[in-house]
């Protein structure tokens, strides 16, 4: 059942850098100073060792956020990213089913509280359906091609396997959509995007969608350059390392996901057998008065084990698997940004080769080549900054996920142990009464 969703504080007002974005300038505007990646945006050791902790088994930091469970209560987590002051809070809750003549769909309430000057009001509440979230993500990819856009949960489910209108599925999707918006509000650039502002505030988003085609930003229009037929000679080593890491990371997570699903399937099959197994002892106890008390105890014990196993399986399904799938999709999104970066680099290399082949001496590098160089540098800086932020989020998310999984397993076995220990006195006392 869907519980009361907890508000997720989010956002950061700081941009990655205070400088004009070269992709946002028109062809008639003068390009500012070339963007050079800042040393603090590099990823020291993040690819080679520290951030490979999860895929290759290197020990990770064991701190984790406090929770109601015993293990996590003893641990803490620095969940404030870089000490940013938060001035934008967005939550997704209150799913509602709408039945119309042509279709049936679910909408979610998106509540925004902010002190930012870009918003006319301090608080907004709008209703959005999945396709609206999909529209937002497409707009962010279109207008912010150099940045990593958070993934959405998969739209389609296997027919007959999952009921997309069931309470469990809707709650799982609500959590994923809430996380999607949290990722955006946490981002120092994406959170200031005009399309994101409209998504959070517009009462009639469909009206904006219709006129939105004529309101594409200059940066959005410039995304066309990534569709060229150029081929990069070789990635810089740091980006080649990122690509190799993402391949390994998604492969490992995919394997864990498949095995986890098999484990859940086997747990559910075992649960079916346990539910049939317990009542047999109760029926048996009804036939033999002298054994009724211990047999009823065994039946109750198995029932308690059933409840504990059901809770463990639900936790893996609702909390563990969605995080794995989100990060599998996240790695694919990062790979797409890498491909765009490669295309811009290839275009720049092609332009330089074309200049070198020309006989005449040129007094200066053509403007279009300088702009292309700016695009490459912009991609490099933005991608490295987003990769560093993503790695920080990943470490926190997986630390919390794995500690939570350990705690849930401890609780499960403790409940089973307590259940079986409770019937030992019944079995020991019975011979003494004869």
């Amino acid at each position: 059942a869907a519980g009361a969703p907890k508000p997720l504080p989010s956002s950061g007002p700081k941009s990655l850098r205070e400088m004009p974005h070269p992709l946002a300038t028109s062809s008639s505007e003068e390009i500012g100073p070339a963007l050079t990646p800042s040393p603090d945006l590099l990823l020291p050791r993040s690819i080679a060792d520290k951030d490979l902790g999860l895929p290759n088994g290197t020990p990770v930091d064991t701190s984790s956020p406090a929770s109601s469970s015993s293990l996590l209560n003893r641990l803490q987590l620095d969940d404030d990213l870089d000490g940013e002051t938060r001035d934008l809070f967005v939550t997704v809750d209150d799913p509602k089913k709408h039945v119309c003549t042509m279709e049936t769909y679910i909408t979610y309430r998106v509540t925004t509280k902010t002190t930012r000057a870009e918003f006319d009001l301090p608080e907004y509440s709008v209703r959005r359906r999945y396709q609206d979230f999909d529209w937002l993500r497409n707009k962010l990819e279109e207008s912010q091609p150099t940045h990593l856009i958070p993934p959405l949960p998969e739209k389609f489910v296997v027919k007959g396997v999952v009921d997309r209108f069931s309470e469990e599925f809707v709650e799982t999707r609500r959590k994923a959509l809430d996380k999607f918006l949290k990722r955006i509000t946490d981002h120092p650039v994406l959170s200031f995007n005009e399309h994101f502002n409209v998504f959070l505030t517009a009462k009639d988003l469909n009206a904006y969608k219709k006129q939105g085609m004529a309101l594409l930003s200059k940066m959005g229009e410039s995304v066309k350059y990534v569709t060229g037929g150029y081929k990069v000679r070789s990635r810089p080593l740091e980006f080649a390392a990122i690509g190799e890491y993402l391949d390994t990371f998604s492969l490992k997570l995919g394997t864990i996901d498949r095995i986890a699903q098999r484990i859940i399937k086997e747990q559910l099959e075992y649960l079916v057998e346990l539910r049939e197994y317990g009542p047999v002892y109760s029926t048996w106890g009804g036939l033999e008065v002298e054994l009724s008390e211990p047999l009823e105890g065994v039946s109750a014990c198995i029932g308690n084990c059933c409840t504990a196993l059901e809770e463990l399986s639900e936790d893996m399904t609702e909390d563990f698997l969605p995080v794995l799938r989100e990060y599998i999709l996240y790695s694919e999104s990062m790979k797409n940004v890498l491909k765009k970066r490669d295309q811009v680099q290839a275009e720049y290399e092609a332009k330089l080769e074309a200049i070198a082949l020309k006989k005449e001496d040129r007094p200066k590098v053509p403007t279009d080549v300088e702009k292309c160089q700016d695009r490459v540098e912009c991609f490099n800086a933005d991608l490295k900054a987003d990769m560093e932020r993503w790695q920080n989020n990943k470490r926190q998310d997986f630390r919390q996920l794995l500690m939570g999984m350990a705690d849930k397993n401890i609780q499960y076995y403790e409940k089973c142990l307590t259940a079986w220990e409770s019937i030992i006195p019944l079995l020991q006392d019975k011979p003494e009464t004869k």
Side-chain angles (χ1 to χ4, degrees):
K6 297 180 181 179
L8 292 177
S10 40
S11 170
K14 300 184 297 185
S15 60
L16 293 178
R17 59 197 65 80
E18 296 298 331
M19 59 178 66
H21 200 300
L23 299 184
T25 57
S26 64
S27 57
S28 61
E29 294 174 334
E30 190 67 24
I31 300 295
L35 302 183
T36 55
S38 174
D40 63 336
L41 294 180
L42 301 179
L43 300 176
R45 300 187 306 278
S46 62
I47 302 302
D49 47 57
K50 184 176 180 181
D51 293 331
L52 284 177
L54 291 170
N56 69 6
T58 302
V60 296
D61 190 346
T62 56
S63 60
S64 181
S67 76
S68 59
S69 51
S70 59
L71 186 62
L72 299 186
N73 270 335
R74 300 196 297 268
L75 303 163
Q76 293 183 351
L77 173 68
D78 50 338
D79 50 357
D80 279 340
L81 293 176
D82 303 325
E84 295 174 352
T85 302
R86 302 184 183 278
D87 57 2
L88 180 63
F89 303 84
V90 181
T91 57
V92 178
D93 60 11
D94 189 28
K96 288 186 178 179
K97 185 177 180 180
H98 301 262
V99 181
C100 303
T101 305
M102 300 297 294
E103 62 176 338
T104 301
Y105 59 93
I106 303 292
T107 63
Y108 304 84
R109 180 175 62 190
V110 178
T111 304
T112 304
K113 295 182 180 181
T114 182
T115 57
R116 289 189 181 182
E118 292 82 6
F119 293 84
D120 297 328
L121 301 173
E123 187 170 346
Y124 295 87
S125 180
V126 296
R127 297 205 71 84
R128 298 286 183 254
R129 56 187 297 186
Y130 181 89
Q131 67 181 28
D132 298 328
F133 288 85
D134 191 46
W135 170 85
L136 170 62
R137 190 179 190 283
N138 289 334
K139 284 297 182 182
L140 291 176
E141 277 197 328
E142 182 181 83
S143 58
Q144 307 282 355
T146 65
H147 286 289
L148 172 62
I149 311 302
L152 276 172
E154 296 94 336
K155 180 176 182 179
F156 300 104
V157 295
V158 180
K159 190 173 181 181
V161 176
V162 179
D163 177 10
R164 68 189 183 96
F165 298 115
S166 69
E167 192 173 355
E168 293 79 8
F169 178 80
V170 171
E171 174 61 10
T172 299
R173 172 162 285 184
R174 182 203 66 77
K175 289 179 181 178
L177 294 176
D178 188 276
K179 178 63 70 68
F180 169 71
L181 293 187
K182 179 184 180 299
R183 300 292 195 198
I184 298 174
T185 54
D186 277 344
H187 198 283
V189 175
L190 300 181
S191 62
F192 287 90
N193 184 275
E194 60 177 322
H195 302 297
F196 186 48
N197 185 302
V198 169
F199 176 87
L200 297 178
T201 62
K203 287 295 182 183
D204 185 8
L205 190 60
N206 289 328
Y208 183 85
K209 288 179 182 179
K210 293 177 182 178
Q211 64 178 1
M213 296 302 293
L215 299 176
L216 289 176
S217 65
K218 295 174 182 177
M219 186 175 178
E221 292 171 348
S222 69
V223 77
K224 292 181 292 186
Y225 69 79
V226 302
T227 60
Y230 306 104
K231 195 167 184 179
V232 69
R233 284 198 294 264
S234 64
R235 279 178 178 169
L237 291 179
E238 57 187 329
F239 294 111
I242 290 176
E244 293 173 1
Y245 168 77
L246 291 172
D247 288 339
T248 302
F249 178 70
S250 57
L251 179 64
K252 298 300 184 185
L253 283 195
T255 302
I256 293 174
D257 179 67
R258 288 190 298 273
I259 295 174
Q261 290 190 61
R262 289 203 302 269
I263 291 174
I264 293 173
K265 181 175 179 292
E266 291 171 1
Q267 285 177 340
L268 295 177
E269 292 172 350
Y270 177 47
L271 189 58
V272 171
E273 299 296 337
L274 277 182
R275 285 173 175 161
E276 295 179 359
Y277 185 50
V280 174
Y281 287 92
S282 182
T283 304
W284 181 14
L287 299 176
E288 301 194 39
V289 179
E290 292 185 355
L291 294 176
S292 62
E293 190 175 5
L295 290 176
E296 286 290 349
V298 172
S299 179
C301 169
I302 295 174
N304 290 335
C305 291
C306 283
T307 302
L309 181 59
E310 186 174 16
E311 292 173 354
L312 181 65
S313 297
E314 286 178 356
D315 181 73
M316 286 191 67
T317 301
E318 297 174 7
D319 297 326
F320 185 76
L321 291 182
V323 174
L324 295 183
R325 289 166 184 164
E326 180 197 11
Y327 273 90
I328 291 173
L329 294 173
Y330 236 136
S331 62
E332 293 302 318
S333 297
M334 179 62 82
K335 290 177 187 178
N336 289 334
V337 180
L338 271 175
K339 289 178 182 178
K340 292 178 183 178
R341 195 217 71 83
D342 290 347
Q343 289 172 326
V344 175
Q345 177 188 334
E347 180 185 4
Y348 175 57
E349 292 173 350
K351 290 181 182 296
L352 289 180
E353 290 177 358
I355 293 176
L357 291 174
K358 293 183 179 179
K359 302 285 186 181
E360 67 274 11
D361 294 328
R362 288 181 173 270
K364 59 179 294 186
V365 179
T367 303
D368 62 329
V369 178
E370 291 179 343
K371 289 181 179 180
C372 193
Q373 182 184 15
D374 287 341
R375 290 171 182 165
V376 173
E377 293 172 346
C378 181
F379 250 111
N380 291 348
D382 288 352
L383 195 153
K384 284 189 281 190
D386 279 2
M387 185 67 181
E388 183 177 29
R389 175 174 288 271
W390 180 75
Q391 291 283 16
N392 289 335
N393 287 335
K394 175 178 66 66
R395 282 192 293 272
Q396 292 188 26
D397 288 344
F398 275 87
R399 186 162 60 233
Q400 181 177 358
L401 180 73
L402 297 177
M403 292 303 298
M405 182 175 67
D407 192 76
K408 292 291 184 181
N409 276 276
I410 291 172
Q411 290 181 22
Y412 165 70
Y413 288 109
E414 284 179 342
K415 289 176 182 177
C416 291
L417 179 62
T418 301
W420 286 108
E421 285 180 338
S422 68
I423 67 170
I424 291 177
L426 298 176
L427 300 175
Q428 289 177 333
D429 293 342
K430 195 64 180 175
E432 297 176 2
T433 61
K434 290 183 178 181

